[in-house]
């Protein structure tokens, strides 16, 4: 799937919306950043899980920029 492909949202089997995958991915990234901003600071700075999540979020952001 390319980021320009449409993503369909269904409810009870009926198509409700079609959105470009890029818009859906950007919304997911924004929500993940908000969640991370609120919750990652609660973990110790040297926590491996925190570091993994920070790295994954940054990589996701780079992928979105390269694709657009």
């Amino acid at each position: 799937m390319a980021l320009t492909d449409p993503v369909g949202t269904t409810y009870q089997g009926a198509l409700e919306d079609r959105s470009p995958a890029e818009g859906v991915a950007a919304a997911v990234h924004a929500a993940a950043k908000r969640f991370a901003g609120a919750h990652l600071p609660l973990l110790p700075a040297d926590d491996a899980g925190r570091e993994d999540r920070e790295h994954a979020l940054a990589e996701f952001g780079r992928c979105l920029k390269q694709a657009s």
Side-chain angles (χ1 to χ4, degrees):
M1 172 183 280
L3 286 180
T4 55
D5 292 345
V7 174
T9 302
T10 60
Y11 177 72
Q12 296 182 346
L15 182 65
E16 295 288 323
D17 183 50
R18 282 189 159 309
S19 302
E22 184 175 15
V24 174
V28 169
H29 184 255
K33 281 179 64 173
R34 284 192 305 275
F35 180 86
H39 296 282
L40 288 182
L42 302 175
L43 298 172
D46 62 347
D47 183 83
R50 176 182 175 164
E51 292 171 2
D52 290 346
R53 286 166 180 79
E54 289 170 338
H55 175 75
L57 186 59
E59 184 64 25
F60 186 16
R62 282 191 291 276
C63 288
L64 283 176
K65 285 182 182 179
Q66 287 178 353
S68 60

